[in-house]
Amino acid sequence: MLRLVVTGRNLRAKTFYNLLLEGPKAEYVRAIWDNLLLPKHRFFYWQIVNSQLITRDFLCKLVPLKNTMCPVCEIEFETHDHALFSCIFAKQVLEDVNSWLGVYNWPILIADLISRCRFKEKDLTNRVLNMVIAATLYQLWKYRNRCILS
């Protein structure tokens, strides 16, 4: 049941429209669109949690590919989770960043990353950790692209 929102004598279209678009709210939105993150990291982070990266598993559904293996390790089929978390190179990078950060249990799947993205805005420690995660994943993706283009 919709309730009209009227202030004074005017109907507020924005409020009415937002009432029509009720749906589940993603709790990880604050972490992804945090102002501490660089804009390119925010956009890339958004692509990660929505599984919108152009990996070879996605491309082979659209066009036939000769090679669907990971361009970095060339051992396993390239998926989102493999490229960012389980590739040998990615594991080494995450281990090195972990030694710099201290003890942190990196997610092993994108679903784990999403579940860890819930934090309070005022907790600076979690925000900085979130910034490091986004920057690290972005750099892994850039390296993966360099492997393809070189």
Side-chain angles (χ1 to χ4, degrees):
M1 177 180 198
L2 289 176
R3 183 177 50 115
L4 290 177
V5 179
V6 179
T7 56
R9 294 183 176 195
N10 299 326
L11 172 70
R12 298 191 70 195
K14 177 183 174 184
T15 308
F16 181 71
Y17 181 75
N18 287 338
L19 285 172
L20 292 175
L21 295 177
E22 287 183 19
K25 294 187 179 188
E27 295 182 22
Y28 54 81
V29 171
R30 283 185 180 169
I32 293 170
W33 298 107
D34 190 359
N35 288 332
L36 283 181
L37 275 65
L38 294 174
K40 60 185 172 184
H41 295 172
R42 286 183 223 154
F43 180 72
F44 179 70
Y45 218 1
W46 183 253
Q47 286 182 313
I48 290 172
V49 299
N50 290 307
S51 298
Q52 294 176 342
L53 297 176
I54 308 297
T55 54
R56 292 184 178 189
D57 68 328
F58 176 75
L59 279 177
C60 73
K61 294 175 186 175
L62 303 174
V63 293
L65 295 175
K66 291 180 184 175
N67 185 7
T68 57
M69 302 306 270
C70 174
V72 179
C73 69
E74 296 182 349
I75 297 172
E76 292 184 40
F77 185 66
E78 184 189 40
T79 63
H80 289 84
D81 289 323
H82 173 77
L84 298 172
F85 301 109
S86 63
C87 179
I88 295 169
F89 178 74
K91 285 182 180 181
Q92 182 62 45
V93 169
L94 297 178
E95 185 178 306
D96 290 345
V97 173
N98 196 27
S99 68
W100 173 72
L101 277 177
V103 178
Y104 176 70
N105 294 324
W106 283 88
I108 56 171
L109 299 170
I110 292 175
D112 294 339
L113 178 68
I114 293 170
S115 67
R116 293 182 189 193
C117 281
R118 299 177 184 133
F119 66 89
K120 296 179 181 170
E121 262 182 60
K122 300 191 182 211
D123 188 2
L124 185 60
T125 305
N126 283 337
R127 290 179 70 197
V128 170
L129 183 61
N130 186 50
M131 181 177 62
V132 170
I133 292 169
T136 303
L137 295 177
Y138 179 78
Q139 292 302 322
L140 281 170
W141 188 254
K142 275 182 61 175
Y143 181 77
R144 175 245 182 221
N145 289 341
R146 270 189 253 133
C147 289
I148 293 173
L149 299 174
S150 60

